[in-house]
Amino acid sequence: MTDDDSTIKGWVLYDGDCGFCSRWVPFWERTLARRGFRIAPLQEGGVAEKLALSPDKLAADLRLLLAGGETLTGAEVYRYLMRRIWWATPLYLLSTLPILRTLFDAGYRAFADNRYWISRTCHLPVRKVPK
């Protein structure tokens, strides 16, 4: 994960040890790249230090590290990115309504807390990312 390119708006940081995450986030890599976002596994060298988090806290959630240094976590990452993709904007708007926001956040949390079980149950092995 390097900040050399001034056009990069941020980094989507996902759990590279999760079978679902290591397939889902790279699937969207081109869509995200067109909007100025890059992806990297949370386990990549330097990420823990840059975010100043312990390994346990680091892999607890999807994270978005913006070019200015701000960090978003969990469901907020999805909302932030959906807002920047024209065809996902309606989903973003729905996810901000009071009752639906609560459901969206709870759905994210339930999935994030059970992602390893889901990955094993769906036979989604971790995809090794070339370095």
Side-chain angles (χ1 to χ4, degrees):
M1 187 175 91
T2 60
D3 303 344
D4 299 340
D5 189 347
S6 64
T7 63
I8 296 176
K9 295 180 182 174
W11 289 88
V12 178
L13 304 169
Y14 64 95
D15 184 356
D17 291 337
C18 167
F20 182 86
C21 303
S22 65
R23 289 177 183 271
W24 179 248
V25 177
F27 176 82
W28 293 103
E29 184 173 17
R30 286 180 33 188
T31 301
L32 294 168
R34 283 193 297 270
R35 285 144 184 97
F37 296 96
R38 302 295 182 260
I39 67 168
L42 286 159
Q43 292 81 3
E44 188 172 291
V47 172
E49 294 80 22
K50 191 164 197 105
L51 297 176
L53 293 171
S54 69
D56 291 343
K57 285 194 175 227
L58 182 67
D61 281 300
L62 178 71
R63 298 180 187 280
L64 177 62
L65 176 60
L66 296 172
E70 182 184 359
T71 304
L72 300 175
T73 305
E76 286 303 317
V77 173
Y78 282 99
R79 271 192 277 279
Y80 186 91
L81 295 171
M82 286 188 303
R83 186 174 185 191
R84 282 143 184 88
I85 301 171
W86 70 267
W87 49 263
T89 301
L91 295 174
Y92 160 75
L93 293 171
L94 288 171
S95 77
T96 62
L97 296 174
I99 292 173
L100 294 179
R101 180 184 195 93
T102 301
L103 290 173
F104 187 84
D105 290 356
Y108 168 82
R109 183 80 271 140
F111 186 87
D113 289 347
N114 295 290
R115 67 187 183 277
Y116 297 117
W117 177 83
I118 293 166
S119 294
R120 281 192 309 274
T121 301
C122 296
H123 305 288
L124 297 172
V126 174
R127 179 184 295 174
K128 297 297 179 197
V129 178
K131 293 190 178 194

